[in-house]
Amino acid sequence: MALTETLEDYLQAIFHEENEKGMARVKDVAKKLAVRASSVVEAVNRLKEAGYVLYEKGDFIRLTEPGQEVAQRTFERNLVVYRFLDQVLGVEPEHARKLTCGIEHHMDRQFFDALSALCFFFERNSDVQEKFRRFADSYEKGMICDMYATLDQFGKGDTLKVIKVSGDAFLRQRLIAMGLTPGQEIVIERVAPLGDPVDVVLRGYHLSLRKEEAKCIKVEKI
Amino acid sequence: MALTETLEDYLQAIFHEENEKGMARVKDVAKKLAVRASSVVEAVNRLKEAGYVLYEKGDFIRLTEPGQEVAQRTFERNLVVYRFLDQVLGVEPEHARKLTCGIEHHMDRQFFDALSALCFFFERNSDVQEKFRRFADSYEKGMICDMYATLDQFGKGDTLKVIKVSGDAFLRQRLIAMGLTPGQEIVIERVAPLGDPVDVVLRGYHLSLRKEEAKCIKVEKI
DNA sequence: AAATATTTTTAGGTTAACCTAATATTATTA
DNA sequence: TAATAATATTAGGTTAACCTAAAAATATTT
Ligand SMILES: [Mn+2]
Ligand SMILES: [Mn+2]
Ligand SMILES: [Mn+2]
Ligand SMILES: [Mn+2]
């Protein structure tokens, strides 16, 4: 009887309406979630089925005890994720809000506890907070991911490990079929002038690669 | 033309199949995602529609250039979220894997960059890592959330702020209607022996609350 | 109390994402 | 090569989550 992401959002909206106005009405929930009233009625009937709300048509929507508990828990998740994005990572409020509404549905107790602790940790240790801020600023976008070298950048005698094969599907399939799979070790045997072709050895076999092909092979020197 | 969470997962699965085996087949994608082959065919046709894969029936599934880019990006998100859960927060691999597959679809560039930076920060600063581990261990579960006091725990003259009203829907509605809304300040005027009733003043009005009711009002001393 | 406006409910429809079961295809093996 | 096994595809169906438009029920004004 686990709720879907959507129903968790409805429950949370009802919870907020009850707390803010004392009761939840179809219209207000609809507005809060940016859906039509008819969608709310449908969702509320599902929640009623599941035992999370009381609802008789014409009346207000009311959370049951279990409903309240679930809503409370979801809301606490929301709070901690938002706090993490906002205070620790410095994500823009606008974005943070939206991301939070997605992430809050993908949490378990362990994650919740650890994330809470992390927020507290940063709050209590402003020196760490400061240090991280400086550290993060020094990372300009793009510096972190996809920083692998490609095969064509190395020379005779280098021993390399294949990390990834890029390029279009057909080329990639061909290269992988030759044995250039992630994890494979290769040794450069010879590089022709201008880098084309590059001869390599892997698993005892020789392979001659065009420069264009070598560029598709992301490697790490070992 | 934004992909749904599900289609992103299909794309990622195809990406992995291509990288591991050189090509992606319906059956293997189905196995990887724990769905039936017919579901894969349907999803692949949608991806083809959107220009992310090439597929002619009977042939392999192949990522197009855009498809590869999106898959790569999704995969990088997956990596960084997993790394965060696993290395920074210490979430169990099993759980971390599952949570990651949910969270990876709720990220933007800013979040990705900041989270990457955070992982690096912890990796590079093992002292901080250590310090956080100790800090987190000292937080036993439940210590963090829901630690509010309730109205019945205070005495004459205390000035309090209402944080939240709990209890069943009807009671809560009644209390909120009396003006006991989150944020409201109240002053305790008198507490009868055994704590029942509790008389309070808010917005210049007097209110007499049963002990049972007072217990539902979570407050903070100010 | 009528008339008008707001809100809720119902009826009926679409789409994504699943499924089962039946029918092609394509590979393997005898 | 024929029989068998494995894969892929189609056909047809379900469910959640949305929608529009119309009808019914409530509130608010004249
Ligand atoms: Mn949400
Ligand atoms: Mn996923
Ligand atoms: Mn999600
Ligand atoms: Mn219907």
Side-chain angles (χ1 to χ4, degrees):
Chain A
M1 225 212 284
L3 292 172
T4 59
E5 299 190 18
T6 313
L7 287 187
E8 271 184 11
D9 283 338
Y10 278 102
L11 213 55
Q12 218 181 146
I14 294 165
F15 178 77
H16 283 131
E17 285 298 314
E18 279 196 354
N19 285 325
E20 285 157 25
K21 307 184 190 155
M23 73 259 168
R25 300 185 337 150
V26 171
K27 178 193 79 138
D28 297 319
V29 172
K31 189 171 184 190
K32 191 160 263 176
L33 296 178
V35 296
R36 295 310 169 112
S38 55
S39 304
V40 175
V41 172
E42 200 173 294
V44 166
N45 282 322
R46 248 193 267 291
L47 289 172
K48 186 183 167 185
E49 269 296 297
Y52 294 117
V53 302
L54 300 175
Y55 188 54
E56 294 311 325
K57 55 186 173 188
D59 202 354
F60 299 127
I61 307 161
R62 293 190 163 82
L63 294 176
T64 60
E65 276 295 333
Q68 232 176 109
E69 253 158 60
V70 175
Q72 176 72 36
R73 224 175 311 139
T74 312
F75 179 49
E76 274 163 12
R77 286 175 185 169
N78 183 297
L79 284 179
V80 78
V81 173
Y82 184 79
R83 197 157 137 226
F84 172 66
L85 292 176
D86 178 46
Q87 285 169 226
V88 177
L89 295 186
V91 174
E92 312 278 357
E94 193 78 355
H95 292 202
R97 202 111 38 210
K98 188 157 251 168
L99 297 173
T100 298
C101 182
I103 296 167
E104 68 190 354
H105 312 288
H106 303 282
M107 299 181 78
D108 63 7
R109 188 73 218 197
Q110 218 195 346
F111 178 23
F112 176 84
D113 286 337
L115 200 62
S116 301
L118 187 64
C119 291
F120 265 83
F121 179 69
F122 269 71
E123 212 166 282
R124 297 284 160 83
N125 300 87
S126 51
D127 54 318
V128 173
Q129 175 89 260
E130 240 326 289
K131 198 171 170 186
F132 172 58
R133 271 290 138 77
R134 279 199 307 279
F135 184 93
D137 284 350
S138 74
Y139 268 113
E140 277 311 287
K141 294 176 282 198
M143 266 215 52
I144 285 153
C145 65
D146 216 18
M147 286 300 294
Y148 300 117
T150 50
L151 178 51
D152 63 298
Q153 292 159 9
F154 294 84
K156 182 175 173 179
D158 287 335
T159 300
L160 309 168
K161 187 163 86 178
V162 175
I163 298 298
K164 203 176 73 177
V165 181
S166 60
D168 82 78
F170 297 97
L171 174 56
R172 203 163 63 255
Q173 189 182 341
R174 198 151 51 73
L175 294 172
I176 289 171
M178 287 172 176
L180 291 160
T181 52
Q184 178 64 52
E185 283 187 20
I186 56 183
V187 181
I188 298 186
E189 200 173 49
R190 200 179 75 90
V191 181
L194 301 176
D196 195 345
V198 184
D199 291 357
V200 302
V201 179
L202 71 157
R203 292 192 200 129
Y205 288 95
H206 289 253
L207 221 58
S208 189
L209 298 165
R210 308 310 312 252
K211 191 174 187 178
E212 276 315 302
E213 296 168 337
K215 275 186 179 167
C216 294
I217 301 165
K218 304 206 169 177
V219 294
E220 179 178 272
K221 192 162 183 180
I222 51 177
Chain B
M1 225 213 285
L3 293 172
T4 59
E5 299 189 16
T6 312
L7 286 187
E8 272 184 10
D9 283 338
Y10 278 101
L11 214 55
Q12 218 181 144
I14 294 164
F15 178 78
H16 284 132
E17 286 298 314
E18 279 197 354
N19 285 325
E20 283 157 26
K21 308 185 190 153
M23 73 259 167
R25 297 183 343 147
V26 170
K27 178 194 79 136
D28 297 319
V29 172
K31 189 170 184 192
K32 191 159 263 179
L33 295 178
V35 296
R36 295 310 168 110
S38 55
S39 304
V40 175
V41 172
E42 198 174 296
V44 166
N45 282 322
R46 247 193 267 291
L47 288 172
K48 186 183 168 188
E49 269 295 297
Y52 294 118
V53 303
L54 300 175
Y55 187 54
E56 294 310 325
K57 53 187 173 187
D59 202 355
F60 299 126
I61 308 163
R62 293 191 163 83
L63 293 177
T64 60
E65 276 296 333
Q68 233 176 109
E69 254 159 59
V70 175
Q72 177 71 37
R73 223 175 312 140
T74 311
F75 179 48
E76 274 163 13
R77 286 176 185 168
N78 183 297
L79 284 180
V80 77
V81 172
Y82 184 79
R83 197 157 136 227
F84 171 65
L85 292 176
D86 178 46
Q87 286 169 227
V88 178
L89 295 186
V91 173
E92 311 278 355
E94 192 78 354
H95 292 201
R97 203 112 39 212
K98 188 156 251 170
L99 297 174
T100 298
C101 182
I103 296 168
E104 68 191 354
H105 311 289
H106 302 282
M107 298 182 78
D108 63 6
R109 188 74 218 197
Q110 218 196 346
F111 179 23
F112 176 85
D113 287 336
L115 200 62
S116 301
L118 187 64
C119 291
F120 265 84
F121 179 70
F122 269 71
E123 211 167 283
R124 297 285 160 82
N125 301 85
S126 50
D127 53 318
V128 173
Q129 175 89 259
E130 240 326 289
K131 198 171 170 186
F132 172 57
R133 271 289 139 79
R134 278 199 307 278
F135 183 92
D137 284 350
S138 73
Y139 268 111
E140 276 312 287
K141 294 176 280 196
M143 268 215 52
I144 284 154
C145 65
D146 216 18
M147 286 300 295
Y148 299 117
T150 50
L151 177 50
D152 63 298
Q153 292 159 8
F154 294 86
K156 182 177 172 177
D158 287 336
T159 299
L160 309 168
K161 188 163 86 178
V162 175
I163 298 298
K164 203 176 74 177
V165 181
S166 60
D168 82 77
F170 297 96
L171 174 55
R172 203 163 64 254
Q173 190 184 340
R174 199 150 52 74
L175 294 173
I176 288 170
M178 287 173 176
L180 291 160
T181 52
Q184 178 63 51
E185 285 187 19
I186 56 183
V187 182
I188 298 187
E189 200 173 46
R190 200 180 75 92
V191 181
L194 301 175
D196 196 344
V198 184
D199 291 357
V200 301
V201 179
L202 71 157
R203 292 191 201 130
Y205 287 94
H206 289 253
L207 220 59
S208 189
L209 299 164
R210 307 310 311 252
K211 190 173 187 178
E212 276 315 302
E213 296 167 336
K215 274 185 178 166
C216 294
I217 302 166
K218 306 207 169 176
V219 294
E220 180 178 271
K221 193 164 183 180
I222 52 178

